[in-house]
Amino acid sequence: MHNYSWAGNLSAPYTLESRYERGVDTTANGIVVYPPSNKTGRRLCGGAVEFTVATVPTNVGVILRRTLDYGVPHQQANVSIRVNSRDTWTPVGVWYTAGSNAVAYSNPSSETGPITPTLEVSNRRFRDAEFLLSRLLTANATTVHVRIEHAGGSVLQPLWPGHVWPSGSACWADLDIAAFAYLLP
């Protein structure tokens, strides 16, 4: 990828130490099985990111894969492309990643007992999400220009009645993004 640019309400770069969901990270004896790693990224809370992907004309589709900060709930963006430097952007879909690493936990004393939800947050904030660009859109392309525009009106549903997400939660968070062309053997 090249010509990577951001425009809009963009956070300063931040480094996140975390893990993917891959099982036990530390044993009961304190032995680290799956150590954390660091990734640096930004949050886009209005605006767009654009980049160019080089591909081969014989591709049968392009897949975009991003590593995201799953601590940012319900990430949603509109994806548009321009093929081979055409002047107009073609909307191709909505990239939505539901949920987050936060859950509501409650353990009532009986089946009909009162719930007392508490917020439980996993230390696993790395997640990969993919978006497929159809061969109908990318066939014969040598370059695909991609625009990912934050869907600013994202509605953050509370985890339970009265729960409020922290300020700045309705964003798009990228830690890494890659593109791959599908080719027939």
Side-chain angles (χ1 to χ4, degrees), residues 10-181:
L10 180 66
S11 75
Y14 67 99
T15 300
L16 179 61
E17 180 181 84
S18 192
R19 298 172 170 89
Y20 285 94
E21 293 283 350
R22 290 192 181 146
V24 175
D25 55 65
T26 307
T27 66
N29 301 352
I31 298 170
V32 176
V33 177
Y34 176 42
S37 61
N38 293 320
K39 294 186 182 291
T40 300
R42 291 183 164 193
R43 291 182 183 192
L44 182 67
C45 302
V49 58
E50 294 180 12
F51 53 89
T52 303
V53 176
T55 188
V56 294
T58 56
N59 79 77
V60 291
V62 173
I63 191 165
L64 305 175
R65 180 178 297 142
R66 76 188 252 261
T67 300
L68 60 106
D69 176 356
Y70 203 49
V72 179
H74 308 297
Q75 298 179 41
Q76 182 174 336
N78 299 311
V79 180
S80 302
I81 64 169
R82 288 186 308 156
V83 176
N84 295 335
S85 299
R86 292 191 187 118
D87 290 334
T88 58
W89 289 96
T90 302
V92 294
V94 175
W95 196 343
Y96 180 68
T97 305
S100 75
N101 68 332
V103 297
Y105 174 77
S106 182
N107 189 14
S109 58
S110 68
E111 185 174 333
T112 59
I115 63 167
T116 55
T118 58
L119 183 66
E120 297 221 350
V121 180
S122 167
N123 67 349
R124 313 304 174 90
R125 288 179 58 178
F126 295 154
R127 178 150 303 191
D128 288 346
E130 296 174 340
F131 190 90
L132 180 63
L133 301 175
S134 165
R135 71 188 289 175
L136 299 174
L137 300 166
T138 63
N140 301 315
T142 55
T143 58
V144 178
H145 307 280
V146 180
R147 175 190 290 157
I148 299 171
E149 187 173 3
H150 176 248
S154 300
V155 176
L156 295 179
Q157 295 294 326
L159 290 175
W160 63 83
H163 171 260
V164 178
W165 290 101
S167 175
S169 290
C171 296
W172 178 264
D174 269 339
L175 300 172
D176 189 24
I177 193 156
F180 305 92

